[in-house]
Amino acid sequence: MVSLVVADGLRKSYGEKVLLDGVVFTVEPRERIGLIGVNGTGKSTLLKVLAGVESTEEGSITHANDFTLTYLRQEPVFSEDRTVLEEVFAGEAQLMRTLLQYEEAQYKLEADPANERLLEQYTRVQQQMDAQQAWDAGTQAKTILTRLGVSDFHKRTSTLSGGQKKRVALAKALIQPADLLLLDEPTNHLDHETIEWLEKHLATYTGSLIMVTHDRYFLNRVTNRIFELDQGQLYTYKGNYELFLEKKAERVAEAQQQEQKLQNTLRRELAWLRRGAKARTTKQKARIGRVESLQEQSTEQVQENLEFAIGSKRLGNDVIEAKGITKAFDGRTVVPQLDYLITKGERLGITGPNGSGKTTLLNMLAGRIEPDAGEVLVGQTVRIGYYTQEHEEMDESLRVIEYITEVAEIVHTVDGQIITAEQMLERFLFPRSHQWTYIHRLSGGERRRLYLLRVLMSEPNVLFLDEPTNDLDTETLSVLEDYLDQFPGVVLTVSHDRYFLDRTVDHLLAFESGEIHRFQGHYTDYLEQRRQQLANAQAQETVQTKTDSRPEKRKKKLSYNEQKEWDGLEDRIEKLEEAIKTLEAEIQAAGSDAGKATELFRKQQEAETELEQAMERWEELSELIESFES
């Protein structure tokens, strides 16, 4: 099998930080690769290198001459003057240009059907669609746009929100034909139904793909190979995320054994030197050199998990109570009347579609915005730590350790032990060697991880997390989940991440169709219940429709007029179909005679409407006749 892409010896660095250190890998046809690693290790950089957006200092990437690639950035960049449709179908492929021309011609003709010039243009592009057999591609493109919630095709991209831009960019990436699809956080801003649809769609995608995502359920279901980027090295694993975790555990255990052997050897060598042997002999100098070499080999690659339960400020019996709170914006109610009592030890998830009011509710409970009605009562001992979606401004002249010690130099465990800021940074994947790095040198993901730790260092007893999975990598999320397992306070989480919610909460407030529903249990159980409810409702609707349409008294045969109509209906349908074919031919033959083409186009639309009505009537009478025979 010929490899799709071959990367050999890729090296990339920023200042002293090496992101890619001689990386080697291949991508085979139909592979589904998940690229994982701690934020700041270079995942997005590797995608940019593959996409040709960034270069490397060393190494090469080879592929076939007719190779095509599509790249979804983590933060999409659009041309300000383009519409959604122009952006989605932008590209060099002739098929994309034809689809764009057809959609634009149809849109303009619908707005001004009497315009002869627009009719000529529409007829011409129809012929191009036929010639390129583009109708199926056009239908698929519309399906993708619709499932991703993109409906206003002629809106300027400059007016879109961040979430809307990401969905438009994802639609563009899926529609564009490519041998290799690069996806950087494709599930951000998507609700669970859309993520499930995307999982199924990617299963049928004909090209290969490499993706960076924090959604571990998505990663597990879509991938068949994992790339792990760690301190400049790329490790590859066959299988999905679950198999990767097993193999990674084996690799870490082996590395720990090697580190232990190294430390034992070091200890013996140092003991020999300290026994007082003469240091000036040739053999002793060689031994000193060997110790120095061993010390250089001992690295921070193997990190011990610091298991400790961080304490929090004492929390009394009164936490937070919402009494009849509501909130509306521009006349639209986003939080309907809600009564809710938050109790000690609570683990609450808040879910719902984008824009449904989840963050608004969190902000009211935190006292950041006032409700339109009702009140929020907060206990005197409550100390809220709030991790927000917004990117908090950081003083980039500070070093990592300085940013954390501004809040606290130490925190306390539940049993009264002292944990230093340095230890907390290590737990959240900032090794000692990186703690004096300036903030301006951190990646976006590393900054979000640092901001999360700053929130936790204030030792809150009520923790609000607003979409924490949008910017944090899978390893950081695992650390956060372990932290929350031991956290003695209250946790409220707004999230759409199925894995994270299953791990961290035990009941939900769910925004559904303008109402807030309570659910006791895990998020996966809630989704299953919702699916079952929708299925039952659809089945009940089908039964009710059949019951309502059942005639009170069953007829035994067609009436005289119905029989007469039935006898001539098939001939009528056949004549209409022939008439439409004739009109289509005459429209093409009209050429530059715009007046004649306009009149023929009007007749064609009338004939198509009449044919549709005749077909519907034929179906009605056909079902009626079948009922007599049954």
Side-chain angles (χ1 to χ4, degrees):
M1 181 186 294
V2 178
S3 297
L4 200 62
V5 175
V6 177
D8 186 21
L10 302 182
R11 182 177 176 81
K12 177 77 174 179
S13 59
Y14 286 106
E16 296 178 358
K17 187 173 184 179
V18 178
L19 298 179
L20 308 176
D21 191 8
V23 165
V24 175
F25 63 87
T26 62
V27 180
E28 308 301 334
R30 295 283 298 174
E31 277 200 311
R32 305 286 188 266
I33 299 170
L35 176 58
I36 65 175
V38 177
N39 283 336
T41 55
K43 301 186 300 295
S44 293
T45 298
L46 180 55
L47 292 188
K48 289 175 183 176
V49 167
L50 286 170
V53 175
E54 292 191 10
S55 60
T56 57
E57 290 109 49
E58 296 176 16
S60 64
I61 298 174
T62 57
H63 47 69
N65 292 332
D66 56 352
F67 172 83
T68 56
L69 179 146
T70 298
Y71 170 43
L72 172 70
R73 296 172 180 264
Q74 190 170 352
E75 299 294 336
V77 178
F78 291 154
S79 299
E80 291 293 317
D81 59 338
R82 281 180 178 170
T83 65
V84 168
L85 207 61
E86 289 170 339
E87 187 64 48
V88 166
F89 290 121
E92 296 300 320
Q94 180 60 46
L95 178 64
M96 293 296 104
R97 291 200 295 268
T98 300
L99 288 173
L100 176 59
Q101 290 167 6
Y102 173 75
E103 293 294 338
E104 289 180 335
Q106 186 180 50
Y107 176 71
K108 292 175 182 177
L109 186 60
E110 287 174 354
D112 187 7
N115 189 308
E116 298 172 353
R117 182 181 59 80
L118 293 179
L119 180 60
E120 287 179 11
Q121 184 181 353
Y122 178 74
T123 304
R124 190 164 54 250
V125 79
Q126 271 188 318
Q127 294 170 354
Q128 293 174 9
M129 290 284 286
D130 288 334
Q132 294 183 39
Q133 298 180 331
W135 297 106
D136 286 345
T139 301
Q140 184 186 33
K142 284 286 184 66
T143 300
I144 290 172
L145 288 164
T146 302
R147 293 307 300 262
L148 291 174
V150 180
S151 56
D152 195 347
F153 299 156
H154 302 282
K155 193 173 185 178
R156 293 286 169 188
T157 56
S158 57
T159 66
L160 300 178
S161 67
Q164 290 170 328
K165 285 182 178 179
K166 189 62 182 271
R167 290 194 295 274
V168 169
L170 178 56
K172 178 180 179 179
L174 295 175
I175 288 168
Q176 299 279 341
D179 297 308
L180 178 60
L181 177 61
L182 306 178
L183 301 175
D184 199 347
E185 295 291 2
T187 61
N188 276 6
H189 306 289
L190 300 184
D191 56 34
H192 68 268
E193 285 101 348
T194 308
I195 292 172
E196 288 179 353
W197 168 82
L198 183 59
E199 287 175 1
K200 294 173 184 174
H201 180 79
L202 290 177
T204 63
Y205 190 78
T206 56
S208 295
L209 67 90
I210 302 177
M211 64 177 180
V212 174
T213 180
H214 62 264
D215 189 321
R216 285 157 289 179
Y217 281 152
F218 183 80
L219 192 63
N220 200 49
R221 290 167 181 162
V222 173
T223 59
N224 56 23
R225 194 176 178 197
I226 299 292
F227 284 178
E228 183 194 17
L229 198 54
D230 184 14
Q231 299 189 56
Q233 302 299 311
L234 189 75
Y235 302 91
T236 65
Y237 305 82
K238 282 286 185 183
N240 60 7
Y241 183 66
E242 185 178 351
L243 290 171
F244 153 74
L245 290 176
E246 294 176 7
K247 297 297 183 183
K248 172 69 181 292
E250 292 174 6
R251 184 171 70 82
V252 169
E254 184 179 342
Q256 288 174 335
Q257 289 179 353
Q258 293 298 325
E259 178 72 9
Q260 188 61 50
K261 288 179 182 178
L262 183 63
Q263 293 297 333
N264 290 339
T265 303
L266 257 175
R267 191 162 48 250
R268 289 194 298 269
E269 293 292 326
L270 286 169
W272 176 274
L273 289 176
R274 289 166 182 163
R275 278 208 297 263
K278 293 181 180 180
R280 296 192 179 186
T281 67
T282 303
K283 288 184 178 180
Q284 195 71 358
K285 287 179 181 179
R287 190 173 288 277
I288 292 172
R290 184 181 172 193
V291 168
E292 290 173 348
S293 176
L294 287 170
Q295 286 174 328
E296 288 176 4
Q297 292 177 39
S298 182
T299 68
E300 296 179 274
Q301 289 184 11
V302 181
Q303 297 181 3
E304 296 289 338
N305 287 328
L306 301 174
E307 294 297 337
F308 46 76
I310 297 301
S312 60
K313 303 299 180 184
R314 187 188 70 83
L315 183 61
N317 291 326
D318 296 330
V319 185
I320 299 174
E321 183 177 6
K323 289 189 169 183
I325 61 173
T326 65
K327 191 68 181 179
F329 294 106
D330 300 324
R332 184 177 75 89
T333 299
V334 292
V335 178
Q337 185 171 345
L338 176 67
D339 293 287
Y340 193 82
L341 177 65
I342 297 172
T343 59
K344 290 179 69 173
E346 184 148 0
R347 295 291 193 270
L348 176 67
I350 303 174
T351 70
N354 293 326
S356 59
K358 304 184 298 295
T359 299
T360 300
L361 174 58
L362 210 61
N363 283 332
M364 284 195 290
L365 295 175
R368 295 194 169 199
I369 60 175
E370 292 293 324
D372 295 336
E375 61 179 338
V376 176
L377 304 178
V378 180
Q380 291 186 349
T381 60
V382 168
R383 182 167 181 169
I384 295 174
Y386 198 152
Y387 177 90
T388 66
Q389 286 191 62
E390 292 78 25
H391 292 271
E392 185 187 72
E393 291 295 325
M394 291 181 167
D395 183 351
E396 296 188 357
S397 66
L398 291 177
R399 299 177 188 268
V400 167
I401 186 68
E402 293 169 341
Y403 178 74
I404 294 301
T405 54
E406 275 188 341
V407 178
E409 294 189 0
I410 60 170
V411 291
H412 300 86
T413 65
V414 173
D415 57 8
Q417 295 183 41
I418 290 175
I419 305 298
T420 66
E422 289 86 354
Q423 287 175 301
M424 286 295 288
L425 280 164
E426 283 186 307
R427 183 175 188 182
F428 280 82
L429 310 178
F430 287 100
R432 297 281 173 127
S433 59
H434 293 173
Q435 292 178 12
W436 288 91
T437 301
Y438 286 104
I439 289 176
H440 69 80
R441 298 184 63 183
L442 301 181
S443 70
E446 286 175 310
R447 294 186 189 199
R448 294 299 286 173
R449 180 166 15 113
L450 188 62
Y451 165 55
L452 170 65
L453 181 55
R454 184 180 170 109
V455 172
L456 301 179
M457 287 294 290
S458 65
E459 293 188 72
N461 49 31
V462 176
L463 187 57
F464 284 16
L465 301 172
D466 193 2
E467 297 288 7
T469 64
N470 275 359
D471 301 291
L472 302 177
D473 56 81
T474 55
E475 193 163 348
T476 302
L477 288 173
S478 294
V479 171
L480 176 58
E481 288 159 0
D482 290 340
Y483 178 92
L484 294 179
D485 282 343
Q486 303 171 65
F487 180 66
V490 170
V491 179
L492 273 69
T493 300
V494 169
S495 181
H496 62 273
D497 188 295
R498 299 162 292 179
Y499 191 103
F500 185 76
L501 286 172
D502 280 348
R503 279 279 280 112
T504 59
V505 307
D506 51 27
H507 61 291
L508 304 167
L509 287 179
F511 283 72
E512 298 175 9
S513 305
E515 298 179 349
I516 300 177
H517 297 273
R518 305 178 190 209
F519 181 82
Q520 189 68 35
H522 293 294
Y523 188 51
T524 296
D525 299 330
Y526 163 74
L527 293 178
E528 184 56 38
Q529 184 188 83
R530 282 279 292 158
R531 272 192 285 267
Q532 191 60 50
Q533 288 173 342
L534 290 172
N536 292 342
Q538 289 172 353
Q540 184 62 36
E541 185 179 340
T542 301
V543 170
Q544 189 63 41
T545 300
K546 288 182 178 179
T547 303
D548 293 343
S549 62
R550 188 180 301 153
E552 294 182 9
K553 186 176 181 180
R554 182 168 170 174
K555 294 169 62 175
K556 295 183 178 180
K557 65 176 183 178
L558 295 177
S559 68
Y560 172 79
N561 288 333
E562 286 173 339
Q563 186 64 53
K564 188 176 180 180
E565 182 184 9
W566 173 255
D567 291 340
L569 200 51
E570 290 191 4
D571 287 342
R572 183 175 164 223
I573 289 171
E574 189 175 336
K575 288 178 181 178
L576 284 169
E577 288 175 338
E578 290 176 357
I580 290 169
K581 287 182 181 179
T582 301
L583 286 167
E584 288 175 348
E586 289 177 353
I587 289 172
Q588 292 187 17
S592 60
D593 190 344
K596 183 178 180 181
T598 300
E599 178 61 24
L600 289 169
F601 182 68
R602 182 186 61 77
K603 289 182 179 180
Q604 180 188 356
Q605 289 181 312
E606 290 175 355
E608 287 176 346
T609 301
E610 192 176 346
L611 175 62
E612 186 175 349
Q613 292 170 349
M615 291 294 291
E616 288 177 357
R617 184 57 176 161
W618 181 89
E619 188 174 0
E620 290 173 7
L621 292 177
S622 178
E623 289 179 357
L624 195 56
I625 292 170
E626 287 180 6
S627 71
F628 300 153
E629 296 171 351
S630 61

